[in-house]
Amino acid sequence: MQLFRFAYPDFLYLLLLLPLMLLLFIINILRRKRALRKLGRNELVTGMMPGASTNRPAVKFLFQTLALLSAVIMLARPQFGSKIEEVRRQGVEVIIALDVSNSMLAGDIPPDRLIRAKQAISRLVDNLADDRIGLIVFAGDAYTQLPVTTDYVSAKMFLSVISPDMVPRQGTAISAAINLGISSFSPGEDKSKAMIIITDGENHEEDPLSAAEAAAEKGIVIHAIGIGSPEGVPIRISSGAGNDFLKDADGNTVITRLDEDVIRKIAATTGGTYVRAGTANIGLDQIYNEISKMKKDELDSRMFTEYNDQFHIFAAITLILLVAEFLIMDRKNRVLEGLKLFRFRV
């Protein structure tokens, strides 16, 4: 099956010049005839100009018109599709669950835990090629920020607006994030699925290990990044009076600590990797290196057509027509007069 297209179809608007050229040619002929009539009778004037030709200007105009038509087609770059190829994309589905609780505002991973995590995810997205990625945010509840997709531009856009304000109920419901992740993957038991949880591990809900076991049964590998310091730090917040620390209902300063035990067990339950984030390296690249070793599955396929340019044909036609138009004189050629090449009625 041959497919045809113009690479630059906007140039075809130049064909509107053809009616204008025809109009100008007709006006020029009428003006010429009117001027000749002023000189005298047509037979007398014709006899005084034996070398004049009434047909050659029409032939030259025809060549000029065809040359313009060919040149416009050349500029539009006609192309024929000579090859239809199905390209299959293979990769892994990865869902990142990002903790957005208030404790992620702590500054032990400067400038704070949440900003550093978002920066690391953004760099990861920049390095993706064929893998699908999804985003989940969680605190007291879990929400899908971005369904699994290969639209990396949208992924970075949705990532940029993530903040603790987008989850109304505070807490760290890791089990809710895992359960939402399980239901967010594309259906299919044989697909490679990985989940990355980035959290400080301060779980305030039910035991998430049962959710991790359910994920393992579905073939989902959960990797975990513990972000924060085990020693504990206060959570600096902004207020109208300036910087202040987050306090509980009794007015005591809230101290947030990295709880590695629970997230380490979650990763081990599913055969995943646990990494503690450092001030220099969050550890997301290390985990993605593990994910890249997983079996690549066919995610989708697309049809591509290879097009071959044909403009050089019309370039040659244009050149031949212009040369021919240039060689045709307005007056009769005495040497070639006997051939009667242009003796026809217009």
Side-chain angles (χ1 to χ4, degrees), residues 73-250:
I73 297 176
M74 175 192 69
L75 292 174
R77 283 186 62 182
Q79 298 176 329
F80 285 99
S82 61
K83 182 179 180 182
I84 300 179
E85 181 180 1
E86 183 177 13
V87 179
R88 301 181 182 274
R89 300 174 54 139
Q90 292 187 329
V92 178
E93 286 192 353
V94 181
I95 291 180
I96 298 178
L98 179 59
D99 187 351
V100 294
S101 60
N102 284 331
S103 59
M104 291 291 287
L105 298 177
D108 48 358
I109 305 291
D112 64 45
R113 299 173 180 176
L114 183 58
I115 291 178
R116 284 296 303 279
K118 290 167 60 175
Q119 291 172 345
I121 296 172
S122 179
R123 288 194 299 270
L124 173 65
V125 172
D126 288 336
N127 293 326
L128 295 179
D130 295 325
D131 299 312
R132 285 182 174 177
I133 187 172
L135 292 175
I136 290 175
V137 295
F138 69 96
D141 294 302
Y143 301 90
T144 299
Q145 177 74 355
L146 178 72
V148 287
T149 180
T150 54
D151 186 355
Y152 303 138
V153 174
S154 295
K156 296 192 69 171
M157 181 183 68
F158 281 101
L159 178 66
S160 64
V161 298
I162 290 178
S163 71
D165 297 333
M166 62 195 318
V167 179
R169 190 163 71 93
Q170 281 300 307
T172 309
I174 299 177
S175 58
I178 296 175
N179 289 329
L180 180 58
I182 292 174
S183 61
S184 298
F185 285 102
S186 301
E189 297 295 331
D190 58 340
K191 293 185 177 296
S192 296
K193 306 170 185 177
M195 188 172 181
I196 303 174
I197 298 178
I198 305 176
T199 179
D200 53 26
E202 290 188 313
N203 184 59
H204 302 296
E205 303 295 331
E206 59 189 68
D207 184 8
L209 293 181
S210 58
E213 292 173 355
E217 292 175 359
K218 297 286 187 179
I220 300 171
V221 178
I222 299 178
H223 303 278
I225 295 178
I227 186 166
S229 59
E231 295 78 15
V233 294
I235 304 171
R236 187 177 295 277
I237 59 174
S238 297
S239 64
N243 292 329
D244 198 359
F245 293 107
L246 183 66
K247 293 180 172 53
D248 59 19
D250 298 327

Side-chain angles (χ1 to χ4, degrees), residues 55-56 332-344:
N55 296 327
R56 288 170 181 265
K332 296 178 181 178
N333 189 318
R334 293 184 177 181
V335 177
L336 301 177
E337 187 176 4
L339 297 179
K340 300 179 181 180
L341 295 176
F342 304 105
R343 185 164 296 181
F344 57 88

